[in-house]
Amino acid sequence: MPCFKQPKHFQSLILLHWPLSYLALFWIVQPLFIYLLFTSLWPLPALYFVWFFLDWKTPEQGGRRSTWVRNWYVWTQIRDYFPITILKTKDLSPEHNYLMGVHPHGLLTFGAFCNFCTEATGFSKIFPGITPHLATLSWFFKIPLIRDYLMAKGVCSVSQPAIDYLLSHGTGNLVGIVVGGVGEALQSVPNTTTLILQKRKGFVRTALQHGAHLIPTFTFGETEVYEQVLYDKDSWMYKFQSCFRRLFGFYCCVFYGLGFSRGSTGLLPYPLPITTVVGEPLPVPKIEKPSQEVVDKFHTLYMEALHKLFDQHKTLLGSSKTQKLLFL
């Protein structure tokens, strides 16, 4: 196990162990709200549930971001812990909308979270006039309070209606999709750069339908901050993980990093640099009903652009010269 100094701000990092933390809060908040309905405090959950249902469609209609939440001091502590940085290769014009592929997923997607869901790395100053939205699992927005917290950070649902709304209302919107999805989390082990992308073409079709420019991004160091225990596909543990995904939408990965005491093992990530490189936009024509041939063409161009982006920056950002980017 690598030897690192004991982290100073481990309390902040524990908050990021989602989506399992969101699932845990679901089982805590839901019963608590129901209990309060039968106490003298019943107006509080009653009013919230009324608001909850009246506000039901907001996550799929642009959300409700908060500059205050995106600028919380805790995000700068998380940024400095690794540290996390963002690298711009080209300016983004506010006159266009963008659909950004986020690679790799990693285990907890620290880079994308810090760079696009907060202002800790100065996104608004680096890309003036651009409003970022990071898409995540739709069912998170059905959890009381969690949905409001996510929307405040600019997170949106990964559902088709939510993405269509953002790409068709105004300009300067950037929607980030973790293309490899939760399946890519099982590929997240140190010294690997394997992406699930070969058959993931839906995001390209959506970009074509809206004429949204495609942006490749790659986060170097994302897969280095945790060790993961991998199981054989015939093992009972892998079958449990697959069943867990069918029930909750994501894998229950077994991973470890630093513990709370020096030299111990625990759930804190290793403090290694994480850098998200935002590539040059790939112009895409607006085609309401793109043919499969056109989708395949732009999907190939996207993969080539992503491969080029990786090769141009890998030696500068911690990967070896011989490291290859693999697409599954």
Side-chain angles (χ1 to χ4, degrees):
M1 182 182 72
C3 181
F4 298 105
K5 293 180 179 180
Q6 176 62 25
K8 297 179 180 179
H9 306 301
F10 62 86
Q11 298 96 333
S12 306
L13 292 158
I14 284 295
L15 297 174
L16 282 182
H17 289 144
W18 64 286
L20 284 176
S21 60
Y22 295 166
L23 184 61
L25 284 172
F26 172 78
W27 294 110
I28 295 172
V29 172
Q30 208 81 338
L32 177 61
F33 272 38
I34 294 173
Y35 167 75
L36 290 176
L37 285 172
F38 298 94
T39 69
S40 59
L41 297 176
W42 68 267
L44 294 178
L47 287 172
Y48 182 83
F49 278 125
V50 170
W51 162 256
F52 183 82
F53 289 112
L54 290 175
D55 196 52
W56 183 259
K57 293 184 178 181
T58 299
E60 295 190 347
Q61 296 179 346
R64 186 173 50 251
R65 65 201 298 117
S66 166
T67 301
W68 175 66
V69 172
R70 288 175 58 85
N71 282 280
W72 279 354
Y73 176 66
V74 67
W75 310 140
T76 63
Q77 295 185 26
I78 295 167
R79 174 201 66 196
D80 295 340
Y81 171 80
F82 290 97
I84 296 174
T85 55
I86 186 170
L87 177 61
K88 177 177 71 172
T89 59
K90 293 288 181 178
D91 290 332
L92 300 182
S93 171
E95 297 179 1
H96 301 289
N97 284 326
Y98 302 90
L99 204 158
M100 175 180 66
V102 177
H103 313 276
H105 183 289
L107 282 164
L108 296 181
T109 324
F110 287 111
F113 163 78
C114 199
N115 287 315
F116 306 124
C117 300
T118 81
E119 289 296 329
T121 56
F123 181 93
S124 294
K125 294 179 180 178
I126 297 172
F127 297 104
I130 303 298
T131 304
H133 303 267
L134 184 64
T136 190
L137 296 174
S138 300
W139 76 267
F140 287 156
F141 296 92
K142 295 176 174 58
I143 305 176
L145 302 181
I146 291 297
R147 67 191 295 275
D148 302 291
Y149 164 70
L150 289 175
M151 285 193 290
K153 294 190 299 182
V155 179
C156 70
S157 167
V158 78
S159 68
Q160 193 66 48
I163 296 171
D164 287 340
Y165 184 95
L166 289 168
L167 295 179
S168 60
H169 286 72
T171 59
N173 289 312
L174 181 150
V175 180
I177 299 178
V178 187
V179 181
V182 293
E184 203 170 81
L186 289 182
Q187 306 293 328
S188 181
V189 291
N191 302 313
T192 61
T193 47
T194 303
L195 306 180
I196 298 177
L197 183 60
Q198 289 274 21
K199 297 181 180 179
R200 300 290 173 94
K201 301 180 180 181
F203 74 104
V204 176
R205 183 179 299 277
T206 298
L208 285 162
Q209 290 171 338
H210 294 278
H213 294 192
L214 286 167
I215 300 179
T217 70
F218 193 90
T219 300
F220 291 88
E222 187 69 60
T223 60
E224 308 299 318
V225 296
Y226 279 119
E227 303 283 352
Q228 182 176 187
V229 180
L230 300 180
Y231 298 93
D232 186 83
K233 290 187 177 181
D234 294 326
S235 68
W236 70 267
M237 187 60 189
Y238 183 85
K239 293 176 182 178
F240 166 76
Q241 289 177 315
S242 299
C243 180
F244 191 93
R245 181 191 176 182
R246 287 193 294 272
L247 289 173
F248 300 109
F250 59 92
Y251 285 105
C252 180
C253 297
V254 179
F255 58 91
Y256 60 91
L258 294 176
F260 292 146
S261 59
R262 185 181 297 274
S264 65
T265 299
L267 291 179
L268 295 178
Y270 299 126
L272 297 171
I274 295 176
T275 302
T276 298
V277 183
V278 180
E280 181 178 357
L282 175 64
V284 171
K286 185 174 182 180
I287 305 175
E288 187 175 345
K289 294 182 179 180
S291 65
Q292 188 60 50
E293 183 181 1
V294 172
V295 172
D296 291 344
K297 172 188 173 182
F298 281 93
H299 183 261
T300 299
L301 290 174
Y302 177 85
M303 290 197 299
E304 290 173 352
L306 179 59
H307 210 292
K308 180 180 178 181
L309 183 74
F310 176 80
D311 286 341
Q312 286 178 336
H313 294 86
K314 62 182 180 182
T315 55
L316 299 174
L317 297 172
S319 295
S320 68
K321 187 176 181 180
T322 57
Q323 188 79 31
K324 300 293 184 183
L325 183 61
L326 303 177
F327 297 138
L328 298 180

